[in-house]
Amino acid sequence: MNTASPDAYSELSAHVRELAELASCGSLLGWDMETLMPAGGMAHRARQIAALTTLVHERRTSPEFGGMLDRAAESTEAGTKEAANVREMKREFDRRTKLPVDLVREISETTSLSRNAWREAREKGDFALFRPWLEKVVALKRREADAIGFEDEAYDALLDEYEPHMTTRDVSELLHPLRAGLADLLGRILDASDKPDGSILERVYPVGAQAEFGRTGAAGIGFQFDNGRLDVTTHPFCSTIGPGDTRITTRYTERFFSESYFGTLHEAGHGVYEQGLDQDAFGLPSGQAASMAVHESQSRLWENLVGRSHGYWRHNFAAAQAKFPEALGDVGIDDFYRALNEVKPSFIRVEADEVTYNLHVFLRFELERAMLDGDLAVADLPAAWNETFERDFRIKPQNDSLGCLQDIHWSLGSLGYFPTYSLGNLYASQLFARAGEELGDLDAMFAAGEFTPLRKWLQEKIYDHGGRYPPRELIERATGKAPSADALLAHLETKYGAVYRL
């Protein structure tokens, strides 16, 4: 069956791939900036990235590109992959054409410079160094939201960049039951009398051994090192430069095992998704992730639902003891497993346990909406952060590095991004539950070192579709149910009821 005019659709595909190749140069520059570039190159690098971003934006919003989209839309058959590609590209085209080129250039250059200011401020624990940059970023993102337009609130316009077809109201409706359920569970856990010994994870774990063990763990869940690499950075991330080149990063703390190991598994989960996408469709929606929340579902699934499971460590604990004999030589697997799953309010989101993690996200969601709406002045962010944090976690950050400076996202202009972390947790639990129903006892598979069945299931249900379907539809197709907090709450109740013997 002919589903699209070969000329119209091929012309569009070739043009989009060329644009993606140009954009990938910017990705490589960004990766280098975060890993290897000397600090003195920051100003020039900001101009390089801004120049590339502007060039790509101009070509993605040109009348010629609009004409290609119209011709391809007229010749594609509804319901096909080609039609879905055109639909999503048209949606992005309509969004981008609303943004003035000067605004795109200013956002790109400002955020390249602001991340360096954030890094210095975080190292020194001094919000004042970052404040003027964050004020610029928030003002620019308000202009962006106004240019794109929105029905209910400005946040909708920014959220749509990361979670297409979803509004702030949609997110709130999904997360509200989760927040209530977590508050109840956390209260019972904090009151429990039988608690894990988390100090096991704060013994000496040599960085070199951590690097080797983390690399093995990433490869074990399916990250392909012949098509990727692992490096060190301040704030871990995953970046796909192009087909055959997916790069992940981590950071190491000698006296805290979990930070690097689970950070590596988290980014490797992102990488497995990227490597599982259709490489021949590079640049097209069908070769891209469905959304940031779907992306996050993969990192959180491999990090937590697999990596923190008892079966995973029945398979890997002996190797861990061999790699870290001084730290783990006198530790039993059950004590280690419980330590890995200790629930303890803490300051750093990326180190948070599964129960308190989403509370970190709710905090950021609340504050960035307030900054965007003008209800919270950037100058008042540290105080608002500390007050809200103390309310939700019952502890107060001693400095801004442990508080509002810990995440890189606002320096990048990624307002609207944080809710995707909690949505990713919802999606991950729902996918994992369904995979268990279809594949059988996943924990027993992990104990036997069998991770391929789950990865193949995800390949079929998620990776193969790329961005063909809106994220909520993709999850419903994979699981047979609309997204909800039910599976995540059930998982947390079952797991932590056992860990804490509630």
Side-chain angles (χ1 to χ4, degrees):
M1 178 183 294
N2 183 22
T3 60
S5 164
D7 291 338
Y9 188 76
S10 296
E11 177 191 31
L12 175 66
S13 298
H15 184 74
V16 168
R17 186 179 184 92
E18 184 178 332
L19 292 179
E21 288 165 350
L22 276 175
S24 74
C25 296
S27 298
L28 182 58
L29 289 173
W31 172 85
D32 176 74
M33 180 167 62
E34 297 295 334
T35 55
L36 300 174
M37 189 191 78
M42 181 56 66
H44 179 62
R45 180 55 49 86
R47 291 191 293 271
Q48 286 180 303
I49 293 175
L52 263 174
T53 302
T54 302
L55 174 63
V56 172
H57 176 77
E58 288 174 341
R59 295 189 63 180
R60 280 177 169 166
T61 57
S62 68
E64 292 77 14
F65 185 48
M68 290 182 195
L69 285 167
D70 290 339
R71 289 191 294 276
E74 291 172 358
S75 60
T76 52
E77 183 176 334
T80 62
K81 180 173 68 175
E82 292 82 1
N85 279 336
V86 175
R87 179 199 70 219
E88 290 304 306
M89 285 188 283
K90 183 69 165 61
R91 191 185 69 83
E92 280 297 309
F93 176 79
D94 291 342
R95 178 187 176 90
R96 291 190 181 106
T97 52
K98 296 174 182 177
L99 298 175
V101 173
D102 289 347
L103 177 59
V104 172
R105 182 185 297 110
E106 188 175 0
I107 289 174
S108 177
E109 188 162 354
T110 299
T111 54
S112 292
L113 294 171
S114 70
R115 74 180 74 179
N116 201 44
W118 164 79
R119 190 177 292 108
E120 181 184 2
R122 183 178 182 272
E123 289 173 357
K124 296 179 178 179
D126 186 359
F127 179 74
L129 296 173
F130 182 51
R131 172 186 163 182
W133 288 99
L134 184 55
E135 288 173 337
K136 291 178 184 179
V137 168
V138 171
L140 287 169
K141 299 307 282 189
R142 283 189 191 129
R143 287 171 56 192
E144 179 181 325
D146 288 339
I148 292 169
F150 50 88
E151 290 188 11
D152 294 327
E153 59 177 290
Y155 200 84
D156 288 344
L158 304 184
L159 173 67
D160 184 69
E161 179 180 354
Y162 306 107
E163 199 63 12
H165 311 285
M166 186 169 280
T167 67
T168 310
R169 182 181 300 170
D170 295 332
V171 171
S172 298
E173 289 176 353
L174 277 173
L175 298 188
H176 180 73
L178 177 60
R179 189 166 199 165
L182 288 177
D184 174 68
L185 176 59
L186 180 59
R188 286 183 280 127
I189 288 173
L190 295 178
D191 290 339
S193 58
D194 189 351
K195 291 181 168 61
D197 178 9
S199 68
I200 290 170
L201 307 177
E202 297 172 0
R203 298 175 178 181
V204 175
Y205 293 85
V207 168
Q210 285 192 58
E212 293 173 2
F213 195 62
R215 185 181 175 91
T216 300
I221 66 170
F223 184 76
Q224 303 164 29
F225 278 98
D226 54 348
N227 292 310
R229 57 181 293 129
L230 172 63
D231 294 277
V232 179
T233 192
T234 304
H235 190 101
F237 64 93
C238 170
S239 181
T240 290
I241 310 303
D245 189 355
T246 296
R247 307 186 183 196
I248 59 176
T249 63
T250 193
R251 63 189 181 198
Y252 299 99
T253 300
E254 187 176 60
R255 297 191 70 93
F256 188 45
F257 172 81
S258 295
E259 179 177 28
S260 173
Y261 192 75
F262 291 106
T264 299
L265 282 187
H266 180 97
E267 300 306 334
H270 281 303
V272 168
Y273 185 14
E274 287 289 322
Q275 292 174 339
L277 294 169
D278 184 356
Q279 304 296 294
D280 292 333
F282 176 65
L284 294 169
S286 60
Q288 298 172 346
S291 72
M292 284 313 305
V294 174
H295 225 310
E296 196 62 23
S297 76
Q298 300 311 293
S299 60
R300 297 292 285 176
L301 185 151
W302 289 106
E303 173 195 358
N304 290 323
L305 299 170
V306 177
R308 293 182 193 269
S309 69
H310 200 279
Y312 183 89
W313 289 103
R314 292 203 303 277
H315 175 65
N316 285 297
F317 187 61
Q321 284 184 309
K323 186 65 69 176
F324 309 105
E326 292 186 10
L328 298 178
D330 63 346
V331 177
I333 183 173
D334 289 337
D335 288 337
F336 184 69
Y337 167 73
R338 293 188 74 208
L340 291 176
N341 291 287
E342 181 185 25
V343 174
K344 184 178 180 181
S346 60
F347 298 111
I348 306 300
R349 174 184 60 85
V350 296
E351 299 171 9
D353 56 82
E354 289 182 86
V355 176
T356 62
Y357 181 91
N358 291 292
L359 298 178
H360 287 267
V361 177
F362 302 152
L363 164 70
R364 290 153 175 79
F365 181 34
E366 179 179 327
L367 294 179
E368 67 181 13
R369 286 175 71 189
M371 285 192 292
L372 190 66
D373 290 340
D375 296 332
L376 173 64
V378 170
D380 297 329
L381 176 63
W385 179 289
N386 292 345
E387 180 183 345
T388 308
F389 200 93
E390 190 170 16
R391 178 199 72 192
D392 291 348
F393 293 87
R394 305 177 196 176
I395 54 176
K396 186 176 182 178
Q398 295 96 343
N399 56 63
D400 292 335
S401 294
L402 293 175
C404 62
L405 286 175
Q406 66 178 267
D407 290 300
I408 195 173
H409 299 71
W410 288 336
S411 74
L412 303 178
S414 300
L415 278 77
Y417 188 107
F418 277 115
T420 66
Y421 285 119
S422 285
L423 292 174
N425 285 330
L426 296 187
Y427 297 168
S429 295
Q430 196 159 321
L431 289 167
F432 193 79
R434 183 62 177 175
E437 292 171 5
E438 295 188 7
L439 298 175
D441 188 343
L442 293 175
D443 200 62
M445 292 180 191
F446 303 156
E450 297 175 0
F451 304 102
T452 301
L454 176 60
R455 192 172 66 251
K456 285 185 174 180
W457 188 89
L458 292 167
Q459 180 74 48
E460 176 189 347
K461 302 294 184 179
I462 302 296
Y463 309 164
D464 285 345
H465 298 294
R468 179 174 181 177
Y469 303 110
R472 284 183 293 179
E473 181 181 347
L474 178 65
I475 299 302
E476 186 165 1
R477 283 174 171 269
T479 67
K481 299 177 182 177
S484 78
D486 293 347
L488 177 54
L489 287 172
H491 158 71
L492 295 175
E493 283 282 352
T494 299
K495 178 176 183 176
Y496 288 94
V499 168
Y500 279 83
R501 292 147 189 175
L502 300 178

